[in-house]
């Protein structure tokens, strides 16, 4: 238990569906992250929020839409996804975006797009 | 471009020692992390190096040479539970974390 929770743990959705992933951290951290992890590939940073402000958007397609209502919660809204978007989506948090602060990861959401 | 290289897979024997190497080319350097990830689970923090030298933490040690763009993770007295992927990640000049693809370590009895 890392103090970062994610729901749902598994999600199967069609290409026309709309769904949301939820992340919550109980660590009092100021920075939160969304990552995509595909088999045998490096973790891909998607979005970073620091003090609720988005500071990074690594050329992510608009079919992924993040939302950070407060420092403890992070959402990833999904719509009209493609089969290649099937992957493990990890949420993480850290004390701050800068500096040598380790990131704490949630268990991830295994997403399958059919 | 920015790049992190580490072996894809390694095999070692229970009770032995294994060294997992990581080389990096990044725009600036503000620290290097090692994470462990068991299959189907989240990555968990192992170590952080920002200065040259060896950091020891129980059975695990991590070494850094900034001039060579090189680090290694040393695991001693290997146990079956050490079977996992080990991820190397470097913080660049913009404090963005650049990740390697990970090294899958297989421990055999």
């Amino acid at each position: 238990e890392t103090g970062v929770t994610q729901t749902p743990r598994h999600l199967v959705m069609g290409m026309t569906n709309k769904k949301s992933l939820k992340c919550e951290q109980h660590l009092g951290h100021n920075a939160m992250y969304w990552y995509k992890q595909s088999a045998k590939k490096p973790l891909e940073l998607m979005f970073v929020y620091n003090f609720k402000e988005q500071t990074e958007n690594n050329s992510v397609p608009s079919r992924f839409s993040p939302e950070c209502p407060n420092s403890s919660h992070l959402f990833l809204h999904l719509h009209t996804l493609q089969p290649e978007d099937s992957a493990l989506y990890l949420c993480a948090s850290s004390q701050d975006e800068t500096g040598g602060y380790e990131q704490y990861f949630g268990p991830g959401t295994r997403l399958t797009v059919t | 471009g920015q790049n992190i290289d580490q072996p894809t897979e390694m095999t070692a024997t229970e009770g032995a020692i294994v060294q997992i190497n990581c080389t990096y080319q990044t725009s600036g350097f503000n620290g290097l992390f090692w994470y462990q990830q068991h299959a189907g689970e989240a990555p968990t923090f192992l170590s952080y190096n920002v200065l040259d030298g060896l950091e020891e933490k129980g059975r695990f040690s991590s070494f850094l040479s900034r001039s060579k763009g090189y680090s290694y993770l040393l695991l001693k007295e290997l146990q079956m539970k050490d079977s996992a992927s080990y991820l190397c990640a470097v913080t660049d000049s913009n404090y963005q974390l650049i990740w390697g693809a990970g090294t899958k370590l297989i421990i055999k009895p």
Side-chain angles (χ1 to χ4, degrees):
Chain A
E1 183 61 49
T2 63
V4 181
T5 59
Q6 288 186 246
T7 54
R9 294 293 307 274
H10 299 273
L11 178 63
V12 179
M13 59 186 289
M15 289 189 284
T16 58
N17 291 159
K18 289 185 180 181
K19 297 286 184 183
S20 295
L21 310 185
K22 179 182 176 182
C23 175
E24 183 173 359
Q25 57 98 357
H26 312 273
L27 302 168
H29 289 165
N30 297 310
M32 295 188 76
Y33 311 78
W34 278 118
Y35 285 95
K36 176 183 179 182
Q37 187 174 38
S38 303
K40 301 189 187 304
K41 293 175 69 175
L43 280 170
E44 298 175 48
L45 179 65
M46 301 175 72
F47 301 104
V48 181
Y49 279 82
N50 203 34
F51 291 93
K52 301 189 298 178
E53 298 295 322
Q54 184 174 308
T55 60
E56 195 74 41
N57 174 348
N58 280 355
S59 302
V60 180
S62 58
R63 57 186 183 268
F64 295 92
S65 174
E67 178 189 0
C68 187
N70 55 60
S71 293
S72 299
H73 293 87
L74 187 64
F75 295 89
L76 187 63
H77 303 299
L78 316 171
H79 63 98
T80 59
L81 294 190
Q82 304 298 310
E84 60 264 29
D85 296 323
S86 298
L88 181 67
Y89 288 84
L90 291 164
C91 173
S93 72
S94 65
Q95 183 61 45
D96 194 88
E97 184 186 3
T98 61
Y101 297 109
E102 66 196 80
Q103 294 184 14
Y104 292 78
F105 287 83
T109 296
R110 174 68 62 185
L111 174 67
T112 303
V113 181
T114 59
Chain B
Q2 311 211 80
N3 194 50
I4 309 284
D5 286 314
Q6 46 181 138
T8 303
E9 187 174 297
M10 299 181 69
T11 302
T13 305
E14 190 176 16
I17 299 173
V18 71
Q19 177 175 311
I20 302 174
N21 296 325
C22 170
T23 57
Y24 61 89
Q25 300 89 37
T26 57
S27 55
F29 177 85
N30 278 304
L32 184 145
F33 293 85
W34 284 97
Y35 283 79
Q36 180 191 60
Q37 186 176 23
H38 285 101
E41 298 183 13
T44 55
F45 170 79
L46 287 178
S47 67
Y48 173 69
N49 295 68
V50 66
L51 299 176
D52 291 348
L54 188 68
E55 295 278 343
E56 297 187 76
K57 192 184 291 186
R59 293 189 299 112
F60 293 7
S61 302
S62 57
F63 172 83
L64 174 67
S65 169
R66 288 172 295 170
S67 62
K68 295 181 180 179
Y70 168 72
S71 172
Y72 67 72
L73 181 69
L74 190 71
L75 292 75
K76 302 177 184 176
E77 302 168 16
L78 286 170
Q79 302 175 9
M80 297 303 293
K81 67 178 182 179
D82 297 329
S83 293
S85 288
Y86 292 85
L87 311 179
C88 174
V90 172
T91 307
D92 69 9
S93 57
N94 294 320
Y95 290 98
Q96 182 168 340
L97 206 53
I98 312 300
W99 293 84
T103 298
K104 182 178 181 180
L105 178 63
I106 300 168
I107 310 296
K108 295 185 175 180

